[in-house]
Amino acid sequence: MGQEERTVRFDHDLQIEAYRFEGIMQKFPNHFHEYYVIGFIESGQRRLSCKNKEYVIGTGDIIFFNPLDNHACESIDNQTLDYRCLNIKPEIMRKVTKEITGQEYLPSFASPVAYRSEQAQLLHNLHQMIMDDEISDFEKEETFYFLIQQLIEEYTEAIEDTEPRAIKQEVENVCHYIEVHYAEHIALDDLAKIANMNKYSLLRSFTRIRGITPYRYLQTVRINEAKKRLEQGIKPLDAAIETGFVDQSHFSNFFMEFIGLTPGQYRDIFIQNDK
């Protein structure tokens, strides 16, 4: 088995991240991101769970995660994974979508998996342009816009919202509280009072609506906030303290589990880009 490699680039022209993982075995727990993830499998198979549905994904498949879509994945039969993805912040996706469609909205990908997608090659081409960092901005931007246009037309649709408004609002109140107070000690009792529910009802409703438990939501918010600090060059220890982790070891374990890189490796990406 070869040594795994993890490479990340931030493209300043497109304002998106590009990840490439080669030969990895890591299991990723149930979590979410605040941004879109559009990726594809170069080699290997994985068992994917997204919004409480199970999928088996393999070579040539594209995956889509909308912001806040909970997801987890693990290897099948101890196969290694070669994987590339683009991370696109909502404000960038909104801007590009308006230019493409003439309408200002955030597209929602209907399914997290497109099996053997025809767009996999175009996605690969764009990803490689970002990794090489030698392609003209013109060609790169053109490829980016054509890719997003095809993905929107082929894989997005309006999703009907059937969740009772009152319960959904209570869960939103809990999410807002977590997003504001993530650096503080938060107890389940506190969240249950905010939601006007007992603890079990909150756990059940929150997990059904968000697809992730309140504790996992809290830890994911903390990791996302820590990423922002690391991008600014803040030391991992300080990022851990500022985002509510009990110590650096606890923080590093969660960060590696969720992101696939150590906090130091992630911070170095942006330090190198500033040189």
Side-chain angles (χ1 to χ4, degrees):
M1 184 182 300
Q3 185 176 3
E4 66 176 32
E5 293 186 23
R6 301 171 190 237
T7 310
V8 185
R9 296 279 188 273
F10 180 76
D11 190 283
H12 289 275
D13 300 312
L14 302 178
Q15 290 292 297
I16 62 178
E17 292 178 342
Y19 280 42
R20 187 180 187 190
F21 291 169
E22 300 174 82
I24 68 167
M25 292 285 294
Q26 180 176 343
K27 175 181 178 179
F28 291 91
N30 196 17
H31 66 294
F32 67 90
H33 305 289
E34 296 175 327
Y35 46 80
Y36 288 88
V37 177
I38 302 175
F40 68 98
I41 310 299
E42 285 193 293
S43 176
Q45 274 195 319
R46 283 251 149 172
R47 184 172 290 105
L48 170 70
S49 172
C50 184
K51 294 188 289 186
N52 305 318
K53 292 185 178 181
E54 302 291 330
Y55 306 85
V56 174
I57 56 177
T59 304
D61 296 340
I62 291 183
I63 59 172
F64 305 100
F65 301 132
N66 299 301
L68 306 184
D69 280 355
N70 67 292
H71 55 281
C73 73
E74 60 184 359
S75 65
I76 296 176
D77 296 331
N78 293 319
Q79 292 187 45
T80 59
L81 176 72
D82 290 351
Y83 169 71
R84 299 182 187 230
C85 74
L86 303 176
N87 299 335
I88 307 174
K89 292 181 179 180
E91 58 266 30
I92 300 300
M93 183 66 87
R94 184 186 298 274
K95 172 180 175 292
V96 172
T97 299
K98 184 176 182 180
E99 291 186 55
I100 291 171
T101 68
Q103 297 177 297
E104 187 169 346
Y105 72 103
L106 288 175
S108 180
F109 291 98
S111 171
V113 183
Y115 294 105
R116 307 299 187 270
S117 171
E118 294 180 0
Q119 283 76 30
Q121 186 60 52
L122 187 59
L123 178 53
H124 175 277
N125 294 345
L126 174 62
H127 194 282
Q128 193 60 49
M129 289 178 191
I130 295 172
M131 285 290 167
D132 290 343
D133 198 26
E134 296 175 355
I135 304 297
S136 72
D137 296 343
F138 191 157
E139 183 181 2
K140 184 173 57 180
E141 286 190 271
E142 182 178 85
T143 304
F144 176 58
Y145 276 89
F146 279 137
L147 172 66
I148 298 301
Q149 179 235 337
Q150 291 180 28
L151 296 181
I152 288 174
E153 291 180 355
E154 187 75 21
Y155 299 114
T156 66
E157 64 181 24
I159 299 176
E160 184 179 358
D161 188 359
T162 59
E163 194 66 41
R165 182 177 298 177
I167 294 177
K168 186 175 181 181
Q169 184 58 55
E170 299 294 2
V171 169
E172 287 299 319
N173 292 342
V174 169
C175 290
H176 178 71
Y177 181 86
I178 290 173
E179 289 159 8
V180 171
H181 299 277
Y182 61 86
E184 304 169 16
H185 173 73
I186 295 178
L188 185 57
D189 280 328
D190 301 329
L191 301 182
K193 290 176 183 176
I194 291 168
N196 296 311
M197 301 178 190
N198 63 48
K199 288 186 281 189
Y200 176 72
S201 294
L202 170 61
L203 290 173
R204 182 181 58 190
S205 297
F206 192 103
T207 305
R208 184 179 68 247
I209 292 171
R210 283 295 189 179
I212 192 170
T213 69
Y215 179 71
R216 277 292 183 185
Y217 189 88
L218 170 61
Q219 294 304 88
T220 304
V221 169
R222 285 173 169 168
I223 289 294
N224 288 335
E225 290 296 327
K227 284 181 65 180
K228 296 174 185 176
R229 286 162 172 78
L230 293 170
E231 289 167 11
Q232 296 168 1
I234 292 176
K235 295 179 180 179
L237 176 59
D238 294 332
I241 293 172
E242 292 178 13
T243 52
F245 287 94
V246 294
D247 55 47
Q248 188 172 355
S249 175
H250 192 231
F251 168 55
S252 296
N253 290 338
F254 265 103
F255 200 94
M256 182 67 180
E257 189 180 22
F258 279 49
I259 306 301
L261 302 168
T262 67
Q265 287 173 328
Y266 188 81
R267 176 174 174 261
D268 287 347
I269 297 164
F270 297 90
I271 292 176
Q272 292 167 5
N273 282 334
D274 289 338
K275 291 180 180 179

